[in-house]
Amino acid sequence: MRDVAIIGIGINKWGELWNKSLRDIYVEAALNAIDDAKIEKIDAMYVGSMAPGLFVGQEHLSSLLSDYLGHGPIPTTRVESACASGGLAIRQGFIDVASGMNDIVLVGGVEKMNDVDGATATDALASASDSEWEAFHGITFPGIYALMARAHMMRYGTTRTHLSQVAVKNHENGLLNPHAQFQMKLTVDQVSNSAKVADPLRLLDCSPVTDGAAAVIMCPLDMAKKISKNHAIVKLSGSGHATDSIALHSRADLTTLNSTILAAQQAYKMAKLGPKDINFAEVHDCFTISEIIISESLGFFEKGEGGRAVERGETSLSGKMPINPSGGLKSKGHPVGATGVAQVYEVVSQLRGDAGKRQLKNAKRALTQNMGGSGGSSLVHLWEVL
Ligand code: COA
């Protein structure tokens, strides 16, 4: 297997992008990545996108996007694993380059979610839950995560305030991110008293509905050392991918994300690293409770301690384990297929020392964790700057 590096990254401003189509926002992010890498051609492309058919009526996405990108009849593949589609596309690109099949691979992610009304978007998202046993009976993702939150609160003493503190922290970080959808400061009271969506989760506990795209360029590490003159080189050191039952009722424990635990074990083993070696992480905070459970599942904190770690400030930009310096899904936004790729955009920016006002002091090794549905799939990747 060849070592793999990232030589280009691109993104666009996320939000409600009424004057741009899905193909516009994808091409914008992909061209930014190609420009950043200073390359003339790409050999293959992977695109993470969860439900373009439901959101904008467009399937056969990979051919459409490579055509509009103008890079010729290269092999292109759309990758789908619900909200983990972007993370899975990263893994497919990694396998492609590591295997020697292709040298320069563009991995992008995109979702345009605001062209349909809120109820249709909620139904489209709910198609990533167990449609017979969950969605059919009316539960949507805020409801599913509310069950997980309630169980975590009852078992470990996690409080309403802990949930709010996750949102406050991520919005504070998002204020420093020019690409973020919601650049606004929040207080604990504002989050705790925002409109109830599914008790105990409130509006400001939820990631929003977002239009956006992100892209990265991968190549063999040896090639990156020769062609990448303007940036520090970031190596992809570990990759893990695991699945779990989609339906919550099939799981032994609502407060544990087994797919994330297993994916993290694989990634740590491949990179010969452990949680203590990681300086910061971008994780899938689709709801405030998910960031708390994920931080435990990745081994950053003991089981049940995730909420109290946020309270102690350990996950803030100046804490000992900064989580979601980009603002996370909560503030940056969550265009589902793009999220896993945008996490890589953020860690590469940080590892290069290019993250502007939200730059972390000690950014040498990073982790990205991207999750489908309520944890039916998880991807964990580890990154090191050379
Ligand atoms: N965070 C912060 N503000 C939000 C927000 C969010 N998540 N969602 C909406 N808002 C704001 C809007 O900008 C709007 O503000 P305005 O009145 O100043 O314009 C206001 O809240 C109402 O927005 P609206 O779009 O009408 O809200 P909604 O009730 O239709 O949707 C949610 C709110 C939380 C239900 C929706 O964002 C949602 O479903 N989020 C979860 C998405 C999801 O499940 N993703 C997959 C995860 S697995």
Side-chain angles (χ1 to χ4, degrees):
M1 226 170 69
R2 303 191 291 185
D3 284 335
V4 175
I6 300 286
I7 54 165
I9 53 174
I11 199 164
N12 55 349
K13 164 79 179 155
W14 287 7
E16 296 183 15
L17 307 179
W18 301 112
N19 60 346
K20 291 178 181 171
S21 72
L22 179 146
R23 70 187 76 184
D24 294 334
I25 58 179
Y26 183 81
V27 167
E28 193 181 356
L31 288 179
N32 285 343
I34 290 169
D35 189 43
D36 185 54
K38 305 265 178 295
I39 48 163
E40 297 293 321
K41 70 170 190 72
I42 49 180
D43 299 324
M45 182 172 90
Y46 292 86
V47 184
S49 193
M50 175 187 150
L54 297 176
F55 286 118
V56 295
Q58 179 68 60
E59 298 292 359
H60 210 169
L61 194 64
S62 56
S63 298
L64 179 97
L65 294 179
S66 64
D67 182 24
Y68 271 79
L69 191 57
H71 270 256
I74 55 168
T76 62
T77 310
R78 173 181 153 209
V79 177
E80 189 279 312
S81 190
C83 306
S85 300
L88 187 55
I90 293 286
R91 183 170 161 95
Q92 295 311 117
F94 170 60
I95 291 169
D96 195 340
V97 175
S99 72
M101 180 71 85
N102 283 297
D103 283 337
I104 300 192
V105 172
L106 190 156
V107 179
V110 65
E111 214 79 53
K112 181 103 175 60
M113 302 169 74
N114 282 293
D115 288 5
V116 292
D117 60 48
T120 310
T122 299
D123 281 349
L125 289 166
S127 69
S129 63
D130 186 320
S131 62
E132 276 184 40
W133 290 105
E134 293 180 326
F136 178 81
H137 298 278
I139 194 163
T140 59
F141 275 114
I144 288 171
Y145 277 93
L147 291 172
M148 295 161 82
R150 190 56 79 198
H152 204 274
M153 291 163 108
M154 287 173 69
R155 187 167 313 166
Y156 298 110
T158 299
T159 62
R160 175 58 261 174
T161 299
H162 292 147
L163 299 178
S164 298
Q165 284 165 334
V166 173
V168 168
K169 166 187 70 75
N170 288 350
H171 276 266
E172 233 165 63
N173 298 350
L175 261 178
L176 306 175
N177 184 349
H179 302 116
Q181 177 171 6
F182 285 116
Q183 289 178 286
M184 61 199 189
K185 201 168 168 52
L186 294 178
T187 63
V188 166
D189 280 353
Q190 275 173 311
V191 184
S192 300
N193 296 317
S194 57
K196 222 174 248 182
V197 176
D199 194 40
L201 298 183
R202 293 176 177 259
L203 175 75
L204 296 173
D205 287 299
C206 307
S207 59
V209 169
T210 311
D211 306 328
V216 302
I217 312 280
M218 293 180 181
C219 76
L221 182 60
D222 289 345
M223 187 184 282
K225 287 178 179 164
K226 287 185 197 128
I227 65 176
S228 194
K229 304 283 178 225
N230 301 327
H231 305 295
I233 292 171
V234 174
K235 179 184 168 193
L236 200 175
S237 329
S239 175
H241 178 201
T243 54
D244 197 353
S245 66
I246 289 185
L248 271 195
H249 63 247
S250 302
R251 298 191 196 159
D253 177 6
L254 296 192
T255 65
T256 301
L257 288 163
N258 273 332
S259 62
T260 291
I261 292 172
L262 292 171
Q265 283 169 357
Q266 294 167 26
Y268 287 138
K269 188 170 172 204
M270 186 184 288
K272 301 190 179 62
L273 295 171
K276 290 204 166 47
D277 300 311
I278 305 301
N279 305 130
F280 69 101
E282 281 284 306
V283 310
H284 198 93
D285 59 321
C286 50
F287 298 92
T288 48
I289 185 61
S290 18
E291 180 172 310
I292 290 173
I293 299 181
I294 290 162
S295 68
E296 298 164 3
S297 304
L298 294 170
F300 296 150
F301 309 111
E302 292 294 314
K303 185 81 208 138
E305 284 302 308
R308 281 176 283 276
V310 182
E311 186 176 29
R312 290 192 294 267
E314 292 179 19
T315 58
S316 64
L317 287 186
S318 56
K320 67 178 191 189
M321 173 50 71
I323 293 183
N324 286 325
S326 70
L329 287 55
K330 180 72 221 37
S331 160
K332 187 177 58 183
H334 184 26
V336 283
T339 286
V341 182
Q343 293 177 328
V344 181
Y345 178 96
E346 176 67 14
V347 299
V348 173
S349 302
Q350 291 281 354
L351 292 169
R352 285 175 174 179
D354 287 343
K357 289 184 182 160
R358 61 187 192 284
Q359 179 64 49
L360 297 165
K361 284 211 179 73
N362 180 29
K364 302 273 182 284
R365 294 192 205 95
L367 178 152
T368 52
Q369 181 270 358
N370 184 207
M371 194 162 77
S374 54
S377 54
S378 286
L379 279 297
V380 173
H381 287 101
L382 301 181
W383 310 87
E384 291 179 88
V385 66
L386 299 188

